[in-house]
Amino acid sequence: MKMKALVLSPESRLNEVCSEKCRALLNEHFDTSWNDTGRDYTKEELAAMVSEAEVILTSWGSPSITEEALENAVKLRAVGHAAGTVKKLVPKPIFSKGIRVYSAAPRIALSVGEYCLGALLSMLRYLPTLNTSLHDGQWRELGLKGRELTGSTVGIVSASSTARAFIKLLAPFQVNVLLYDPFLSEEAAAQLNVKRATLEEVMSCPIISVHVPNLPATERMISRELIERIPDGAIFINSSRAQCLDKEAFMEALESGRFFAALDVFEQEPLPVDHPVRKLPNVLITPHVAGASVQGHLALMQAVVEDIIRGLHDEKTSFEVSEKMWEIMA
Amino acid sequence: MKMKALVLSPESRLNEVCSEKCRALLNEHFDTSWNDTGRDYTKEELAAMVSEAEVILTSWGSPSITEEALENAVKLRAVGHAAGTVKKLVPKPIFSKGIRVYSAAPRIALSVGEYCLGALLSMLRYLPTLNTSLHDGQWRELGLKGRELTGSTVGIVSASSTARAFIKLLAPFQVNVLLYDPFLSEEAAAQLNVKRATLEEVMSCPIISVHVPNLPATERMISRELIERIPDGAIFINSSRAQCLDKEAFMEALESGRFFAALDVFEQEPLPVDHPVRKLPNVLITPHVAGASVQGHLALMQAVVEDIIRGLHDEKTSFEVSEKMWEIMA
């Protein structure tokens, strides 16, 4: 008999994160209950269904699995979240009940990695600036000469999954990667083919990419003193969270125009219409989309479903979240 | 006794293509004569100096080594060009005299490869469009959702050095590369980890990058019929020469807006101020700078000098131009 799987996302939202192939996979391996109500389940509906579910699948906007709901989830063996953080989705006691938790965060990281490399190469070659200038009727009036990535030094703050995805894409460029992460061992650094470095060293690199989780411990960790270390002409990329920066010092530095930045995240989102960063020609700004891509989103449910199946067969998993990871998760 | 090397480029131009390290290398290995006249040598000066030179080093703007000059070049063993094509620099008879010819073209290709990947990732994620929109005070009003490169199919026209540089950078993306080149053997394709394909197949890919040399044989080789094969939503990159396209058919297709293009080259350069391509939002345009970068240019002389030294020691060379290559060179 197949295990019972409960998909919480209504069709409208499921379509974005679950491919046809993934639906077939779910129906093949599980007795799957799809949400065809056209809306999210109510608390009461969820409580009733949770007691029968052996696997629960969620995505953005899915209702949280509360501690009360967990009391009734007597058959539950796995929760798979076809999105990023599971911090608000599942409560900590889930881990002591032996229920395994999976998150597609590392799959989202792949899109973030591609954004980072795209933003970096784009800025090194002044593509947005040249494109605007050519559309405005100019040719080489700006006198800009691009820069190569190959052989450069890249400083990375935090060895998160997005940082790892970015580092993988840097492989053919033979760059020298300096990585700051207080939890990174010498062995893990060697495996990633990076050098461990202090935050001061990383912030002194000609290319800097920030990948820190949004936690109390990382708030304003990039201080004024560290921002002052960013070399003239450097490229600074932030695809994680804006809260890690001393915002006043950072805006002052950006406004001086002495380095370039690609910013996908902001203290306040949507970015206020009159925010001064919108006026700066040395900043590439995007609306918090580094992790968003058609293919990336469509692959999210499959990533966790495949991993849950591996877990149920006692095979090695890649998307599982441990209690320890949950604790330091943003 | 050291061999005599003659550097033709005057200082002003040499600074762009010859690093301090390369100057030291030249002085170490050769009795080097630097051009400190502040201008190019006259035909007469060149004729006099050529008779003593054993190695000649040139770059953009250097005077051609004519057949007459070659008559006097009795000691000449190698010519190294710290730039691209040597077609107009050296005449064909140079090869039958046993003088070896080197060009830094494969080093320029590295910058082109980086441009191609940067333009591609940039367009896949709509970076220039989003950046303009955010600078204009918007947030996600455009509703654009980016696309991933990982796992895509990339069609490449011609296995030139720029194509090869681009293909190397694609390695971590696990893309499926279809390559059209009538001179590419099955073995060479396997080494590059690409599949040989027809031009029709390549032009039907969702991502297409053109790398053809500018030769009579390639003129308008991308016909109206082939342009019509470009899929809706595709990304078409041209960093080689515009002449390979049926320009009327191509402009019509671009104006329909049904696919995207990154164009670095144009039939007429500088691009005329009123050229209709400047009005198109689906085209990323740059002023023929794909091969231009600070680091790339500064590495050109060293690339050929190191290779000449290898050649003089009967070691394997990487930048040498054979008579056969000269013949099919643009």
Side-chain angles (χ1 to χ4, degrees):
Chain A
M1 218 176 78
K2 289 180 187 173
M3 291 177 73
K4 280 193 194 308
L6 173 64
V7 177
L8 296 193
S9 308
E11 279 299 311
S12 57
R13 236 175 294 136
L14 191 67
N15 285 336
E16 206 185 330
V17 296
C18 184
S19 62
E20 280 306 315
K21 200 175 147 196
C22 178
R23 284 170 204 253
L25 184 73
L26 271 165
N27 285 328
E28 184 197 334
H29 287 266
F30 303 96
D31 174 5
T32 308
S33 157
W34 304 91
N35 177 355
D36 50 14
T37 62
R39 53 165 175 80
D40 277 315
Y41 291 124
T42 62
K43 218 172 164 181
E44 291 70 32
E45 286 170 329
L46 191 59
M49 284 186 292
V50 148
S51 61
E52 288 302 311
E54 291 167 279
V55 170
I56 292 181
L57 295 161
T58 60
S59 188
W60 285 291
S62 293
S64 298
I65 297 169
T66 59
E67 288 198 47
E68 299 95 283
L70 215 52
E71 302 276 306
N72 297 324
V74 288
K75 300 183 182 170
L76 191 59
R77 293 181 60 184
V79 173
H81 189 47
T85 178
V86 292
K87 190 79 173 210
K88 285 171 190 157
L89 182 79
V90 296
K92 197 175 165 185
I94 199 168
F95 296 99
S96 55
K97 288 180 177 283
I99 297 166
R100 297 171 76 170
V101 178
Y102 299 79
S103 151
R107 181 60 189 79
I108 296 178
L110 180 56
S111 283
V112 177
E114 292 199 2
Y115 157 83
C116 291
L117 184 60
L120 175 55
L121 288 171
S122 181
M123 296 195 82
L124 281 169
R125 301 302 282 270
Y126 305 105
L127 297 184
T129 310
L130 289 171
N131 182 46
T132 302
S133 157
L134 272 275
H135 274 94
D136 282 352
Q138 301 197 312
W139 182 244
R140 289 181 180 168
E141 282 79 353
L142 296 174
L144 292 174
K145 190 160 183 179
R147 294 179 283 169
E148 271 184 355
L149 176 54
T150 299
S152 305
T153 296
V154 179
I156 291 186
V157 185
S158 180
S160 69
S161 58
T162 62
R164 287 162 196 259
F166 180 35
I167 290 167
K168 270 192 196 159
L169 301 181
L170 289 172
F173 293 93
Q174 300 165 280
V175 290
N176 177 29
V177 178
L178 302 188
L179 202 158
Y180 166 72
D181 188 312
F183 303 106
L184 188 75
S185 69
E186 197 63 66
E187 297 71 42
Q191 271 189 337
L192 287 170
N193 199 21
V194 303
K195 293 193 191 78
R196 286 199 301 174
T198 63
L199 189 50
E200 287 72 18
E201 287 167 330
V202 165
M203 292 299 294
S204 306
C205 290
I207 295 165
I208 302 161
S209 189
V210 177
H211 298 265
V212 297
N214 192 21
L215 295 169
T218 64
E219 228 167 88
R220 294 174 85 94
M221 71 180 270
I222 302 180
S223 64
R224 178 176 291 272
E225 192 274 323
L226 286 164
I227 290 164
E228 280 165 7
R229 283 180 185 262
I230 300 174
D232 287 357
I235 293 175
F236 178 93
I237 304 167
N238 191 0
S239 59
S240 57
R241 285 295 183 272
Q243 286 73 8
C244 64
L245 289 154
D246 175 329
K247 67 177 174 183
E248 295 79 17
F250 187 59
M251 269 312 295
E252 280 172 38
L254 284 181
E255 283 175 336
S256 79
R258 66 175 193 81
F259 61 84
F260 304 90
L263 304 178
D264 187 50
V265 290
F266 307 92
E267 286 257 340
Q268 195 186 333
E269 294 180 2
L271 184 65
V273 174
D274 58 353
H275 195 288
V277 77
R278 294 195 191 257
K279 298 260 176 284
L280 303 179
N282 54 323
V283 185
L284 177 75
I285 39 180
T286 45
H288 203 147
V289 292
S293 75
V294 174
Q295 293 83 356
H297 281 177
L298 204 57
L300 294 177
M301 188 67 89
Q302 188 160 337
V304 291
V305 170
E306 285 176 349
D307 217 42
I308 288 172
I309 295 168
R310 279 191 287 267
L312 291 168
H313 290 88
D314 288 325
E315 291 168 17
K316 193 179 174 301
T317 59
S318 307
F319 293 88
E320 203 169 345
V321 178
S322 66
E323 184 166 0
K324 208 173 156 186
M325 287 163 75
W326 186 93
E327 281 168 6
I328 60 163
M329 196 170 255
Chain B
M1 218 177 78
K2 289 179 184 173
M3 293 177 71
K4 280 193 194 307
L6 174 62
V7 177
L8 295 192
S9 309
E11 280 299 313
S12 57
R13 236 176 292 136
L14 192 64
N15 286 336
E16 207 185 331
V17 297
C18 184
S19 61
E20 280 306 315
K21 199 176 149 196
C22 178
R23 284 169 203 253
L25 184 74
L26 271 165
N27 285 328
E28 181 196 337
H29 286 266
F30 302 98
D31 174 5
T32 308
S33 157
W34 304 92
N35 178 355
D36 50 14
T37 63
R39 53 168 174 77
D40 277 314
Y41 290 125
T42 63
K43 217 172 164 181
E44 292 70 30
E45 286 170 331
L46 192 60
M49 285 186 293
V50 147
S51 62
E52 288 302 312
E54 291 166 281
V55 170
I56 292 180
L57 295 162
T58 61
S59 188
W60 285 291
S62 293
S64 297
I65 299 168
T66 60
E67 288 199 47
E68 301 94 283
L70 216 51
E71 301 275 306
N72 297 323
V74 289
K75 299 183 181 170
L76 191 60
R77 293 181 61 184
V79 174
H81 189 47
T85 178
V86 294
K87 190 81 174 209
K88 285 168 187 157
L89 181 80
V90 296
K92 197 175 164 183
I94 198 167
F95 296 98
S96 55
K97 287 180 178 285
I99 298 165
R100 296 170 77 169
V101 178
Y102 300 79
S103 152
R107 182 59 187 81
I108 296 177
L110 181 55
S111 283
V112 178
E114 291 199 0
Y115 157 83
C116 290
L117 184 59
L120 175 54
L121 289 172
S122 181
M123 297 194 81
L124 281 170
R125 299 302 281 270
Y126 304 106
L127 297 184
T129 310
L130 289 172
N131 182 44
T132 302
S133 156
L134 273 275
H135 275 93
D136 282 353
Q138 301 196 312
W139 181 243
R140 289 182 179 167
E141 282 79 352
L142 296 174
L144 293 173
K145 190 159 184 179
R147 294 179 281 170
E148 271 185 355
L149 175 53
T150 299
S152 302
T153 296
V154 180
I156 291 186
V157 186
S158 182
S160 69
S161 57
T162 62
R164 287 162 197 258
F166 180 35
I167 290 167
K168 270 190 196 159
L169 302 181
L170 289 172
F173 294 93
Q174 299 163 281
V175 289
N176 177 29
V177 178
L178 301 188
L179 203 159
Y180 167 71
D181 189 311
F183 302 107
L184 187 77
S185 69
E186 198 63 66
E187 297 70 42
Q191 272 189 337
L192 288 170
N193 198 20
V194 304
K195 294 194 190 77
R196 288 200 299 175
T198 64
L199 189 49
E200 286 73 17
E201 287 167 330
V202 166
M203 292 298 294
S204 306
C205 290
I207 295 164
I208 302 161
S209 189
V210 178
H211 297 265
V212 298
N214 192 22
L215 295 167
T218 64
E219 227 166 89
R220 295 174 83 93
M221 71 181 270
I222 301 180
S223 64
R224 177 175 292 272
E225 191 274 322
L226 286 165
I227 290 164
E228 281 166 6
R229 282 180 186 262
I230 300 174
D232 287 357
I235 293 176
F236 179 93
I237 305 168
N238 192 0
S239 59
S240 57
R241 286 294 184 273
Q243 287 74 10
C244 64
L245 289 154
D246 176 327
K247 65 177 173 184
E248 295 80 17
F250 188 59
M251 269 312 297
E252 280 172 40
L254 284 181
E255 284 175 336
S256 78
R258 67 176 191 82
F259 61 83
F260 303 89
L263 305 178
D264 187 53
V265 291
F266 307 92
E267 286 257 339
Q268 195 186 331
E269 293 179 3
L271 183 66
V273 173
D274 58 354
H275 196 289
V277 78
R278 295 194 190 257
K279 299 259 175 285
L280 303 179
N282 54 323
V283 186
L284 176 76
I285 39 181
T286 46
H288 204 148
V289 292
S293 75
V294 174
Q295 293 83 355
H297 281 176
L298 203 58
L300 294 176
M301 188 68 88
Q302 187 160 336
V304 292
V305 169
E306 285 177 348
D307 216 42
I308 289 172
I309 294 169
R310 278 191 286 266
L312 291 168
H313 288 90
D314 289 326
E315 291 167 17
K316 192 178 175 301
T317 59
S318 307
F319 294 88
E320 203 169 346
V321 177
S322 67
E323 183 165 2
K324 207 171 156 189
M325 285 161 75
W326 186 94
E327 281 168 6
I328 60 163
M329 195 169 256

